[in-house]
Amino acid sequence: MLAMVIPVTLLAIIGLDMLLAFLSHSRQRFITVILGVILAISSLTMTRYAILGDPLWFRDYGLYGMQYGAQQLFGKTIPALPDRDPHIILRASPTWANNPNSFASFFLTPVQQRRVEFINIDAYRYQRRDLDRQRDVFIMTAGEYWLAQQSGKSILSPPEQIIPYPYGQAGFYVVRLEYVANIDEILAAERAERQRLIEIPYTLEGQSVVVAHSPFDIGSVPDLFDGEPLTLARGFEANPLVIELRFTSPRPLRQVGLILGSMDLDLRVIVTTPDGEVRTFNQSYRGLPPDPTVYLDVPELLIVQQVRLEILQVGVYEPAHVHVREVMVK
């Protein structure tokens, strides 16, 4: 849009000059003076507004908005914290900006950078990590602070500092925390819930089948079998994501195919024959193109009653969003 300012301005002036050419000389001078005054006042007004009001133009200060906070966090808050306590490690949220590492290298000295780790509070909410209330100081967004309060998994100290957004609302919190006493029981219950399968009756290739799957947060069972890769089902938290096909009548199986979201993965296929025999097949996939199509061939033609797919996204801990665009059983 900036590139269009000059040609649009030139065209506007040419058009204005053509209109003025129809007027008498005295009227041209009068209109020129009036327009000059109006444009000058508008320019000064816009300049003042740009300097004083620009932080309030748009109130979304997060990743998909203005990404406000670099100067406030890395220019002021973070350099001052280690001076107050030389033993702390700063755990700064990266979720509010695109590539916040560049802010650290721009504002902080190499010594200061070694005292900062970019990590989201979710890393502590879904699995137990080394956490020291005296050592670890978290800098989190207001939304993350609310989630930490509501999770029931941690005890938060009163905020040591609150960094506001330009319109005064709290934007970032500097806080310490520790796990609740029964954190292991809470995390174990959550892991069990992620492994719970949801059973959905479905008709696949004219045959009734029960599809049991890990909970989805996007999409549904029909999206897995509609032959359209643009539709998908996304796992809510589970990794591996489980999709289990329970056929009402035995059927032959020679190959399983998947169209997935971009990732490296390990695929496990567990089949159960009508007489109860269980066989397991494993295959790993690395260095795949975006949204890959992968196949696992069964060594011999099998008659199966049930097919269980376990899709493990490599290098990602739970909770994880495993994307499945299509499931093909041949």
Side-chain angles (χ1 to χ4, degrees):
M1 292 181 67
L2 288 175
M4 290 298 298
V5 171
I6 293 176
V8 167
T9 302
L10 292 174
L11 290 171
I13 296 302
I14 292 172
L16 182 61
D17 182 66
M18 293 176 65
L19 291 175
L20 290 174
F22 291 102
L23 303 176
S24 64
H25 183 68
S26 59
R27 289 185 176 180
Q28 287 182 14
R29 293 186 61 185
F30 176 76
I31 293 177
T32 300
V33 171
I34 295 299
L35 286 176
V37 172
I38 294 174
L39 292 173
I41 293 174
S42 299
S43 179
L44 292 173
T45 302
M46 184 177 294
T47 301
R48 180 180 182 277
Y49 184 49
I51 294 173
L52 300 180
D54 63 326
L56 303 176
W57 286 350
F58 189 57
R59 298 296 180 93
D60 184 354
Y61 296 101
L63 178 62
Y64 301 103
M66 294 179 67
Q67 300 192 11
Y68 177 90
Q71 173 69 33
Q72 290 69 26
L73 294 184
F74 294 90
K76 299 177 182 178
T77 302
I78 289 177
L81 287 172
D83 293 338
R84 298 187 342 224
D85 185 347
H87 303 292
I88 65 172
I89 299 295
L90 299 173
R91 315 288 187 188
S93 169
T95 62
W96 58 275
N98 184 27
N99 189 25
N101 292 302
S102 60
F103 300 145
S105 60
F106 182 84
F107 286 101
L108 305 179
T109 67
V111 174
Q112 291 171 330
Q113 291 180 51
R114 289 194 289 270
R115 303 289 299 278
V116 178
E117 179 187 9
F118 289 100
I119 190 167
N120 186 353
I121 189 62
D122 283 347
Y124 292 82
R125 288 174 56 214
Y126 293 103
Q127 59 178 315
R128 183 160 189 166
R129 303 172 66 97
D130 182 26
L131 184 59
D132 187 331
R133 189 188 189 101
Q134 303 303 316
R135 178 197 64 195
D136 299 319
V137 176
F138 290 85
I139 302 175
M140 61 183 73
T141 66
E144 292 167 343
Y145 180 72
W146 183 86
L147 287 175
Q149 286 182 311
Q150 299 299 315
S151 68
K153 300 176 185 178
S154 55
I155 302 171
L156 281 72
S157 63
E160 298 182 12
Q161 188 175 347
I162 299 176
I163 298 95
Y165 286 139
Y167 61 92
Q169 181 176 321
F172 300 91
Y173 288 82
V174 179
V175 65
R176 301 174 192 252
L177 56 87
E178 62 183 341
Y179 286 123
V180 296
N182 62 332
I183 183 62
D184 292 327
E185 290 82 358
I186 293 174
L187 295 178
E190 288 187 344
R191 283 193 295 270
E193 180 64 20
R194 286 195 289 269
Q195 295 168 4
R196 180 180 64 88
L197 299 184
I198 299 172
E199 299 181 358
I200 304 293
Y202 189 70
T203 300
L204 179 62
E205 299 176 357
Q207 180 182 358
S208 297
V209 60
V210 174
V211 180
H213 62 85
S214 304
F216 297 149
D217 65 345
I218 293 178
S220 60
V221 167
D223 296 316
L224 299 173
F225 305 100
D226 60 1
E228 178 50 71
L230 294 179
T231 62
L232 61 83
R234 188 178 80 166
F236 177 48
E237 292 179 337
N239 190 29
L241 178 74
V242 175
I243 300 172
E244 194 170 276
L245 307 179
R246 304 168 185 169
F247 301 102
T248 54
S249 301
R251 59 159 292 167
L253 175 71
R254 188 59 189 267
Q255 184 185 72
V256 173
L258 295 169
I259 303 177
L260 303 165
S262 303
M263 61 177 167
D264 290 337
L265 70 137
D266 291 335
L267 174 61
R268 172 176 294 174
V269 177
I270 303 172
V271 300
T272 304
T273 63
D275 59 4
E277 180 186 1
V278 178
R279 299 184 62 176
T280 301
F281 308 95
N282 298 281
Q283 190 163 331
S284 298
Y285 306 85
R286 303 290 187 272
L288 299 172
D291 295 336
T293 300
V294 300
Y295 294 98
L296 187 149
D297 293 321
V298 178
E300 60 184 275
L301 182 65
L302 294 176
I303 303 300
V304 299
Q305 190 77 56
Q306 178 175 296
V307 177
R308 178 184 174 95
L309 311 178
E310 297 180 359
I311 307 165
L312 176 69
Q313 184 172 357
V314 176
V316 177
Y317 298 102
E318 286 185 322
H321 295 302
V322 178
H323 297 66
V324 183
R325 299 184 177 277
E326 201 70 22
V327 175
M328 299 162 284
V329 179
K330 303 178 182 179

